[in-house]
Amino acid sequence: MSGAAVGRDVLVDRARRSLDEGRPVLVEGPAGIGKTVVHRELLAAARGAGWLVLGCAPTEAESALPFAALADLLAPLADRVPELPAPQRAALAGVLLTGDEPGQPIDDRTVGAATRSLLEVAADGPAPRLLVAVDDAPWLDPPSERALRFAVRRLVPRIAVLVTARADRAGGDPAPLGLDHGAGGTRLDRIGLGPLGVGALHHVLRTETGTALPRPLLVRIAAEAGGNPLLAIELARAVLRLPQLPAPGADLPAAPSLRQLVAGRVAALPPDTRHAVRLAALSGVPTLAGLARAGVPPAAFDAAEEAGLVAVRGDAVGFAHPVYAAAVRADVPPGVRGRLHRLLADTTLDPDERARQLAGCVTGPDGSAAAEVAAAAARQRARGAPETAAGLYDGAVRLTPPGTAEQARWRLAAAECRFDSGDYPAARVAAERAAEELTGPDRAEALLLRAIIAWSSDEPVETAWAAGERALASAPAGSPLAGRIHAHLSLFRDAPDPARRHAEAAIALLADRPDDRPVYAAALALLFFNEVRAGLPARTGLLERALELEGEEPSWLAGTVPAIWWRSVDEHGRARDRLHDMLARAVARGDEPSQHELLTQLGDTELLAGRWTDAAAHIAAARELGEQYGTDSAAEHWLDGMLLAYRGWLAEADRIAADGLRRAAELDDRWRRRLYAQLAGFVALSAGRMPEAARHYGELAVTVDELGLVEPIAQRFEPDWLEACVGAGELATAEAALDRLAIRHRRLPRPWTTLGLARCRVLLAGALGRDPSDALAELAAARAAVPADVLPLDRARCLLVAGVAYRRLRRRRDAREALTAAAAEFDALGAAALAARARAEADRTGGRPPAPRQLTGTELEVARLAAAGRTNRVIADTLFISPKTVEANLARVYRKLGVASRAELGAVMARADVEG
């Protein structure tokens, strides 16, 4: 333990243990309590252990400089940047200033992804561990904070994280970088630094002042400083400046206020030093060269260094503690402050620093200054710092003469930057204000932005299309802007006919606009999509043309449409490949809102494909991102409910359905109502509540019809509706459901409609007292026509329906074989409730399972071992036969028992009376 961290031994040891265990550590306490000292002690220990330490120590002044902290932290890894993907390399080139100014704006989410990748590279290096350390995290500039938050949340506990933060009460504020959200399943170790005792302060003051104070005076200083080391040091220095030490009972020379103490020390400096210290405090990154241009000689800082206020290292000028700079700025009179800002603006060589200083000194309309500030905003936006750019655009608006075109343009740019930064609430307010103040095309752009914000966040869909319609009314008729608004409205409208008309209008207006090709491609895809939903023939040529035009980066407007279409026709592999490709791109650029949508779509795809473990992982990841970004979570909650219901966890699925229907009623949201009516119907069907299930499916059908959704691509509910109606004795409605499904099949034959029709005809024949033999033959043919890896749940449900029908026909052997196979297939999926139902139905057939009695002795032994999970090689070694003999025996076993997989074999062997 170094003398610098005296009195903190126990806490330092605790922090070191937590870092060793992979737990992030937050050291917090009030200003001056010694957080930085503990921070440095921990960094020294980590370096001594051979760890790679990446750190930054942002200051208040640097909090306005985009990526300043991140550049400091990642600078030691600059030579590893070429190993990253191209978009990430370009993003970090802008952060580290190692390349040309980017031609296109850098999405700061790409910077986050690049930061994560670079830290992963470092974590895989030769050092035993990587430590990311941030001293005084609240002063992180917003783009750096977002990038580090993104990376750290995904890498803990693989990397160690140490952060300090100012807090008047330990644990009272949210932890920086989202560390209190259990990143990586780890628990944050919050270490609050309390007051130092008199003994510890004695060592600190003797080290800092070179003097041992009398204990009575030391006790008074400790009491008035509240055990705060920094305040105690300032009080001790003030005491030592007196001609003689204060007598007992006499007042100490300064109040225990840091601002007052620093102000007193600054006032005691020579005038030229005081001037230099103020300029340094107001500078973004103070350097001797930059301050020399403002007329400050290097020697002017000598007295401030001797007083312990600043430290000059090479060309850099820094304050001994971040609060010193804040205290100096706070004590500069307004008039003096304005003149100092002007001096710095006139002498800096950095155009962005000049813009920041101009914003601090120009008080009235000034078109020239406004233009400079706006140009700086554009540069920051291009660098991937939209939040900083928004503040600069606000400054440009303030400096612009009212009513000018520039003011309107910059006000809208500020709103766009807030949206780009992910601050949806602030973007919403800014867009609404811009729409109120702007006119014509600028108002249309603001309203379109407002619509996009509504669509991207948890707002009713009606809000999005209402804002879009207002934007269209404000746009010049027949303009490209109107075309872009039409394309967005095609996405926002749930009803297919108006959505189709908007897509057609967008195509007409954007066809000859190369700059709008991505939106034009999206409009083609949306036209195809909504024509299908309206019941028109599927013009796949439109979709192919859209895919041809979209280039390497699909538009967010319609990028998922091809995958939704392929999923709807049960081409799950094709849909999966598209979605994974888009997800990889979104991850590479750090676009988490897009990742949220893509993960949701992947969850839906894998649910239908029967890959429920993958579906659960995608749905959980989407739900977590949705919660973090405040985006609409209706779709992933619906998918979660469907997965729970498929697995037989009906109580929780029922709760999700009830919550979803209640929320749909509150918002009068028909899209949400459609989703959760389907979930509620399936839960009731699975629980045997047939009248309730029939009612939910009937309401779903009404909602679909009201919207004009002739072909509700994403919803396949008619087979379950018919089953519920049969169970409820509503046979006329069941026949209507069958007719409806038959029409959908004739319009667009798909594997699910093929299986659904066959299953429904068996159910209805039995309910009407007709001979189901022909329907059973059709069902067997339909199941044979659909591969085993396509719609495995639907295929297993066909077996269940067939088994029940065979049992009622007293064809017990056929019934038992079908029901046993159904149970095995349900088991393989994880559909516990349906598997139990299939076994219960099998038990009702009576008799004994015949299949195992037909096996020879060798076949029976091979079957038992295979059912127990042994591989062919293990079976061969166990029975002293060749692997080819094992294969031949298994083939005969499968044929005799009527099974097609080891999972089915296991189910048969588990329930059979096995005999040789």
Side-chain angles (χ1 to χ4, degrees):
M1 176 65 59
S2 74
V6 65
R8 306 296 191 192
D9 308 58
V10 173
L11 295 179
V12 169
D13 289 343
R14 169 182 153 187
R16 290 178 64 177
R17 286 195 302 273
S18 291
L19 292 173
D20 285 339
E21 295 166 0
R23 293 177 60 190
V25 172
L26 169 61
V27 179
E28 56 186 344
I33 201 67
K35 301 181 295 296
T36 297
V37 170
V38 171
H39 181 85
R40 290 171 180 166
E41 183 76 21
L42 291 168
L43 296 193
R47 291 189 178 101
W51 291 18
L52 173 61
V53 176
L54 301 176
C56 60
T59 65
E60 182 183 6
E62 293 172 341
S63 66
L65 303 177
F67 297 119
L70 187 64
D72 288 344
L73 189 139
L74 296 182
L77 303 178
D79 60 336
R80 308 299 298 272
V81 172
E83 301 175 28
L84 303 183
Q88 297 182 8
R89 290 199 305 272
L92 287 186
V95 171
L96 299 173
L97 303 179
T98 56
D100 297 332
E101 193 73 20
Q104 296 293 328
I106 297 174
D107 189 336
D108 63 349
R109 292 171 295 197
T110 308
V111 178
T115 301
R116 173 190 179 182
S117 298
L118 197 57
L119 293 179
E120 284 181 316
V121 169
D124 291 336
R129 196 151 175 76
L130 169 63
L131 172 62
V132 172
V134 181
D135 190 17
D136 230 344
W139 291 131
L140 282 168
D141 59 275
S144 292
E145 194 277 340
R146 284 195 295 273
L148 287 173
R149 176 185 291 262
F150 179 95
V152 163
R153 193 171 69 228
R154 288 156 177 78
L155 295 177
V156 168
R158 185 177 173 190
I159 66 172
V161 178
L162 171 64
V163 174
T164 71
R166 190 181 315 174
D168 293 330
R169 180 172 58 87
D173 298 322
L177 304 180
L179 294 176
D180 49 359
H181 293 161
T186 60
R187 186 165 57 87
L188 172 67
D189 187 5
R190 300 185 79 133
I191 298 177
L193 298 188
L196 285 180
V198 174
L201 282 175
H202 163 69
H203 292 286
V204 170
L205 296 182
R206 185 174 61 183
T207 300
E208 293 295 324
T209 67
T211 302
L213 298 174
R215 182 168 178 82
L217 180 58
L218 182 63
V219 170
R220 291 184 60 197
I221 289 175
E224 293 210 24
N228 185 300
L230 187 61
L231 281 174
I233 291 168
E234 295 300 331
L235 282 170
R237 285 174 172 160
V239 165
L240 293 173
R241 286 197 296 268
L242 297 174
Q244 60 184 24
L245 298 181
D251 289 336
L252 294 181
S257 160
L258 185 59
R259 177 175 170 181
Q260 289 175 295
L261 289 167
V262 174
R265 291 175 65 190
V266 172
L269 296 172
D272 61 333
T273 300
R274 184 165 62 249
H275 176 70
V277 167
R278 285 174 168 175
L279 282 172
L282 292 172
S283 296
V285 181
T287 63
L288 291 178
L291 293 168
R293 289 191 295 272
V296 177
F301 288 104
D302 291 349
E305 271 203 287
E306 291 173 3
L309 276 174
V310 302
V312 178
R313 295 182 177 86
D315 191 48
V317 179
F319 283 83
H321 194 282
V323 298
Y324 288 174
V328 170
R329 284 192 295 273
D331 205 50
V332 179
V336 176
R337 184 172 184 140
R339 290 193 296 273
L340 295 179
H341 277 305
R342 170 55 74 178
L343 176 59
L344 290 169
D346 290 343
T347 56
T348 183
L349 300 180
D350 182 353
D352 291 344
E353 175 67 3
R354 172 175 167 79
R356 195 176 72 85
Q357 297 295 343
L358 284 175
C361 66
V362 179
T363 57
D366 185 326
S368 176
E372 289 191 60
V373 174
R379 287 190 293 272
Q380 296 302 331
R381 189 178 186 183
R383 285 192 63 201
E387 193 167 63
T388 301
L392 287 168
Y393 276 126
D394 287 342
V397 169
R398 178 178 57 81
L399 298 177
T400 305
T404 61
E406 289 80 5
Q407 187 182 57
R409 186 170 67 254
W410 294 335
R411 189 182 301 284
L412 181 59
E416 292 169 345
C417 288
R418 287 187 168 88
F419 175 72
D420 291 342
S421 71
D423 188 354
Y424 293 157
R428 182 183 305 126
V429 172
E432 289 173 350
R433 181 180 176 188
E436 290 173 1
E437 298 180 357
L438 301 175
T439 59
D442 291 326
R443 172 178 165 79
E445 293 277 12
L447 287 168
L448 177 57
L449 175 61
R450 177 66 186 94
I452 294 171
I453 293 167
W455 181 258
S456 303
S457 57
D458 192 9
E459 295 188 69
V461 67
E462 288 81 1
T463 303
W465 61 253
E469 294 286 2
R470 291 164 57 207
L472 189 60
S474 299
S479 65
L481 173 57
R484 292 195 298 275
I485 296 171
H486 277 298
H488 284 80
L489 282 168
S490 180
L491 174 67
F492 299 156
R493 298 305 298 260
D494 196 22
D497 287 336
R500 183 162 49 91
R501 290 193 293 270
H502 283 301
E504 289 169 342
I507 291 168
L509 293 173
L510 300 177
D512 299 321
R513 297 278 305 176
D515 291 344
D516 290 312
R517 191 177 74 170
V519 183
Y520 175 66
L524 288 171
L526 288 166
L527 176 59
F528 162 78
F529 185 63
N530 283 292
E531 283 185 347
V532 173
R533 295 171 80 228
L536 300 175
R539 290 200 288 162
T540 54
L542 283 174
L543 184 61
E544 292 168 2
R545 178 60 176 156
L547 290 170
E548 178 186 337
L549 289 173
E550 73 177 8
E552 294 185 358
E553 191 65 38
S555 166
W556 78 270
L557 266 177
T560 58
V561 164
I564 294 171
W565 164 250
W566 293 327
R567 183 174 67 226
S568 76
V569 294
D570 298 318
E571 295 183 22
H572 303 137
R574 200 173 181 188
R576 181 184 301 119
D577 291 345
R578 166 94 175 173
L579 293 170
H580 274 297
D581 179 68
M582 292 180 66
L583 181 62
R585 294 175 185 276
V587 169
R589 64 177 183 267
D591 184 354
E592 290 192 322
S594 291
Q595 291 176 46
H596 168 256
E597 180 187 2
L598 293 166
L599 287 165
T600 301
Q601 295 289 350
L602 275 168
D604 198 353
T605 301
E606 303 299 19
L607 197 62
L608 290 175
R611 296 163 57 154
W612 291 354
T613 300
D614 291 344
H618 294 318
I619 294 166
R623 187 169 58 247
E624 180 182 352
L625 284 176
E627 290 168 356
Q628 292 167 7
Y629 276 82
T631 53
D632 193 349
S633 58
E636 58 263 34
H637 281 300
W638 168 66
L639 289 171
D640 202 15
M642 293 299 298
L643 179 57
L644 289 168
Y646 287 162
R647 286 175 163 171
W649 301 338
L650 300 182
E652 181 63 14
D654 213 359
R655 183 193 64 77
I656 292 174
D659 289 346
L661 288 172
R662 181 168 54 253
R663 182 63 172 159
E666 291 171 357
L667 299 175
D668 192 22
D669 185 340
R670 292 188 291 185
W671 171 76
R672 198 179 303 249
R673 187 184 308 146
R674 286 194 289 122
L675 293 183
Y676 286 97
Q678 181 176 1
L679 173 59
F682 186 77
V683 171
L685 176 67
S686 301
R689 306 194 302 264
M690 299 304 187
E692 179 187 339
R695 174 174 59 81
H696 284 303
Y697 284 125
E699 292 171 353
L700 170 58
V702 169
T703 302
V704 166
D705 292 343
E706 288 175 348
L707 287 167
L709 268 176
V710 179
E711 175 53 56
I713 289 179
Q715 292 190 286
R716 38 184 80 182
F717 63 93
E718 288 88 355
D720 291 339
W721 185 17
L722 182 142
E723 184 175 344
C725 290
V726 166
E730 301 174 12
L731 300 186
T733 306
E735 290 182 294
L738 180 62
D739 291 341
R740 184 184 186 112
L741 178 59
I743 293 171
R744 289 186 72 175
H745 180 71
R746 285 196 298 272
R747 183 188 309 114
L748 187 62
R750 288 151 282 179
W752 81 264
T753 59
T754 299
L755 293 172
L757 266 178
R759 178 160 63 97
C760 286
R761 285 171 177 153
V762 172
L763 284 167
L764 193 56
L768 294 172
R770 300 170 183 163
D771 182 359
S773 298
D774 291 343
L776 283 166
E778 178 190 344
L779 181 63
R783 183 176 146 85
V786 176
D789 61 344
V790 176
L791 302 175
L793 180 64
D794 291 41
R795 295 179 81 256
R797 292 180 74 185
C798 287
L799 281 177
L800 176 58
V801 167
V804 173
Y806 285 135
R807 178 177 58 77
R808 290 172 178 167
L809 290 173
R810 300 186 182 277
R811 293 167 58 179
R812 290 190 175 90
R813 180 186 179 87
D814 291 337
R816 175 168 287 278
E817 288 180 353
L819 292 169
T820 300
E825 292 187 16
F826 287 136
D827 283 335
L829 280 168
L834 286 168
R837 180 182 167 193
R839 291 192 178 94
E841 293 287 352
D843 289 340
R844 297 177 65 186
T845 64
R848 297 166 67 87
R853 294 185 177 182
Q854 302 172 3
L855 303 182
T856 67
T858 301
E859 289 169 353
L860 184 58
E861 290 301 320
V862 169
R864 283 174 174 165
L865 291 170
R870 304 295 191 272
T871 65
N872 286 4
R873 170 58 66 182
V874 171
I875 296 172
D877 292 343
T878 302
L879 300 180
F880 300 100
I881 57 179
S882 72
K884 286 189 176 181
T885 302
V886 173
E887 292 175 6
N889 276 274
L890 270 179
R892 290 193 295 272
V893 167
Y894 282 12
R895 184 175 65 253
K896 290 180 179 181
L897 300 187
V899 298
S901 68
R902 294 198 181 209
E904 295 179 10
L905 175 63
V908 170
M909 297 299 292
R911 295 183 50 80
D913 183 8
V914 180
E915 296 179 4

